[in-house]
Every structure is written in C-alpha cells, then in structure tokens.
Amino acid sequence: MDYTNAFTQGLVLLASLGFLAAVYYTYRLSQETKGEKYWTFFLVAALALAMPYWLSVPHDLNLIPTGTTTAIGEVAAIAGALSLAYASHGLYQTMKRIRKRVE
C-alpha cells in the first residue's frame, strides 16, 4: 500500500469537508439574509477553490491527464478568487449600509 498516496487522499478528504462546511454555512447565511446575491458568489468561490483538490483524486487514478488537471485547476483558482473578491465586496457594502442605519 502506498502510504503517501493514502495520506494525500486523507488530506483531500479533510479539505473537502472544510469546503462542504463552507458551502453549508453559505447556504444558511443566504437564507438568513433573504438571498443576497453575494452569498451565491461565496458558494461559487468555495466550490471553485475546492476543484483542484477534487481533481487530484481522478488525476491520481490516471483518469484525467496532467495538462487537463492543471488547466482546470488554474481556471477554477481564478474563478474562485474573483468570486471571493466580489462576494467580499458585496458583504462590505451591506455592512456599510447597516452601520449607517444603526448610527
């Protein structure tokens, strides 16, 4: 048995659980805020940033070529970063509006 591969797969599983928790809480926050669209972008960011980890499993099983895995991972990283930036901006704007109402 290849313990390095098993260890790596365990790390992928742990990372996946973290990303799935982020997806769950993003969904819950979306419900609490009556569906503000920036929560959708947090969801997209979590899924996109998880993509390279999820692709490592079929890649290790030689189901996806290295070039394809790399390309999809890079595009997913860009999409995740942009989605996270947009979602953070939306949350920032909302917090500013709430602060003005409270003051």
Side-chain angles (χ1 to χ4, degrees), residues 19-36 38-40 42-43:
F19 284 117
L20 291 175
V23 167
Y24 171 76
Y25 285 112
T26 296
Y27 172 74
R28 296 294 307 265
L29 283 165
S30 177
Q31 288 182 322
E32 290 292 324
T33 59
K34 297 180 178 78
E36 289 286 339
Y38 55 81
W39 293 117
T40 303
F42 275 117
L43 173 68

Side-chain angles (χ1 to χ4, degrees), residues 63-78:
L63 299 174
I64 301 175
T66 300
T68 303
T69 303
T70 302
I72 292 172
E74 293 299 323
V75 170
I78 293 167

Side-chain angles (χ1 to χ4, degrees), residues 51-63:
M51 188 64 60
Y53 293 99
W54 293 337
L55 286 175
S56 71
V57 174
H59 178 263
D60 289 347
L61 297 172
N62 294 320
L63 299 174

